[in-house]
Amino acid sequence: MRPVITAKQIEELLKSGGDVRTLPADAIYTPLAVDLLRDAERQAARPPASPSDSAASKAISSKNPKAEIDALFASKSCLHVKEQICEVGRRMWQREYVDGNGGNIAVRVGEDLAVCTPTLVSKGFMHPDDMCLVDFDGNQLAGTKGRTSEILMHLQIMARQPRAVATVHCHPPYATGFAIVGLEPPTCLVPEYEIFASVALAPYRTPGTLGMGKLVADLVDQHNIVLMANHGVVAWSPKSVEDAYFKMEILEAYCRTVLVTAQLGKPPNTFTPQQIQDLLQIKQTLDIPDPRIGVKEANLCDNTDWRPGVQCAVPAPPRPAESAPDTEALIQAITDRIMEQLK
Ligand SMILES: [Zn+2]
């Protein structure tokens, strides 16, 4: 005869710290007992409450039973992550960092699990229900829409950089311009950029391929932003998806400022090695990686790579001595013709 399990029995089991998974699978459960079991399973699958939006939980991995993975994906903490992804997508679209269905976002929510954006959806108009759950091989485990085609790069970053909680990829025009000409933005010009950004440049590969992701992942140990040649930018954060997005804003504003600086016809004033050393010290206290940390002061402010570009971007001013006679002759010719007609 199959045993009958009541709600009271389950309550007592939970009170004594027992595991509901030890209950016999072939037992008959009363309706109240079924409800209690469901709650208990959801509780077990839920990552510990965290003040951050990461919802990162080492407790859940792709090896957990599907019901637990589904419960995680439906949990409040995951909903919060989904809402934050939608919000960041909206900001990216409003600032014209993405167009069409470009750009993608991922947030780590388990040992080898991430919530990510769907494919073929504008980042400006996403809904939490559009999100997908994937394992670190890119297999989709939950969500009704198909996951982004560029997810492998995000997952490879997370696998290589254990501190990466969130990754954001988009195509902001100024930063992408630097990526297209294969130029890392110059350094030693603006304090915020020095402190919050560590930029590297990865060679071009077809977007969405393992090869592309590997080239980016190779750089995330010492950099939190990677320019992808002829493509766009990806940034990671150890805190949250919003923080990863902030990196994007800082980079894009900086690249725009550099282009304005380059057009002013005067060489920029750059930081001294001591000034940059002070900024790197702040960066170190914030635990932001930078390959220059520990480098000798004398080698810190090497901007020679970009200076030729700056000089080329400043057009030579017209020489009045050359143009003046031509202009005068033209005015004289027009005046003569008008006077002729008036006669
Ligand atoms: Zn892209």
mmCIF file of all heavy atoms in Angstrom, residues 103 150 169 171 231, ligand 1:
data_model
loop_
_atom_site.group_PDB
_atom_site.id
_atom_site.type_symbol
_atom_site.label_atom_id
_atom_site.label_comp_id
_atom_site.label_asym_id
_atom_site.label_seq_id
_atom_site.Cartn_x
_atom_site.Cartn_y
_atom_site.Cartn_z
ATOM 1 N N GLY A 103 23.100 44.634 -30.008
ATOM 2 C CA GLY A 103 23.441 44.691 -28.595
ATOM 3 C C GLY A 103 22.888 43.508 -27.827
ATOM 4 O O GLY A 103 21.892 42.906 -28.246
ATOM 5 N N GLU A 150 24.879 36.227 -29.756
ATOM 6 C CA GLU A 150 26.227 36.600 -29.305
ATOM 7 C C GLU A 150 26.496 36.174 -27.857
ATOM 8 O O GLU A 150 27.440 36.652 -27.239
ATOM 9 C CB GLU A 150 26.425 38.113 -29.455
ATOM 10 C CG GLU A 150 26.593 38.535 -30.896
ATOM 11 C CD GLU A 150 26.915 40.019 -31.056
ATOM 12 O OE1 GLU A 150 26.004 40.843 -30.928
ATOM 13 O OE2 GLU A 150 28.079 40.342 -31.293
ATOM 14 N N HIS A 169 26.998 44.386 -24.080
ATOM 15 C CA HIS A 169 27.627 44.592 -25.392
ATOM 16 C C HIS A 169 26.747 45.502 -26.241
ATOM 17 O O HIS A 169 25.529 45.325 -26.299
ATOM 18 C CB HIS A 169 27.815 43.250 -26.103
ATOM 19 C CG HIS A 169 28.033 43.405 -27.572
ATOM 20 N ND1 HIS A 169 29.071 44.151 -28.093
ATOM 21 C CD2 HIS A 169 27.346 42.930 -28.643
ATOM 22 C CE1 HIS A 169 29.001 44.125 -29.417
ATOM 23 N NE2 HIS A 169 27.961 43.401 -29.778
ATOM 24 N N HIS A 171 27.022 48.893 -29.614
ATOM 25 C CA HIS A 171 27.807 49.483 -30.707
ATOM 26 C C HIS A 171 27.769 51.013 -30.611
ATOM 27 O O HIS A 171 27.275 51.675 -31.523
ATOM 28 C CB HIS A 171 27.238 49.034 -32.059
ATOM 29 C CG HIS A 171 26.947 47.569 -32.151
ATOM 30 N ND1 HIS A 171 25.795 47.056 -32.699
ATOM 31 C CD2 HIS A 171 27.659 46.497 -31.736
ATOM 32 C CE1 HIS A 171 25.820 45.732 -32.633
ATOM 33 N NE2 HIS A 171 26.931 45.366 -32.039
ATOM 34 N N HIS A 231 33.513 46.200 -34.922
ATOM 35 C CA HIS A 231 32.262 45.658 -34.409
ATOM 36 C C HIS A 231 31.645 46.540 -33.326
ATOM 37 O O HIS A 231 30.648 47.213 -33.567
ATOM 38 C CB HIS A 231 32.528 44.234 -33.897
ATOM 39 C CG HIS A 231 31.327 43.552 -33.349
ATOM 40 N ND1 HIS A 231 31.350 42.270 -32.868
ATOM 41 C CD2 HIS A 231 30.051 43.977 -33.181
ATOM 42 C CE1 HIS A 231 30.152 41.931 -32.458
ATOM 43 N NE2 HIS A 231 29.347 42.951 -32.630
HETATM 44 ZN ZN ZN B 1 27.424 43.137 -31.748
#
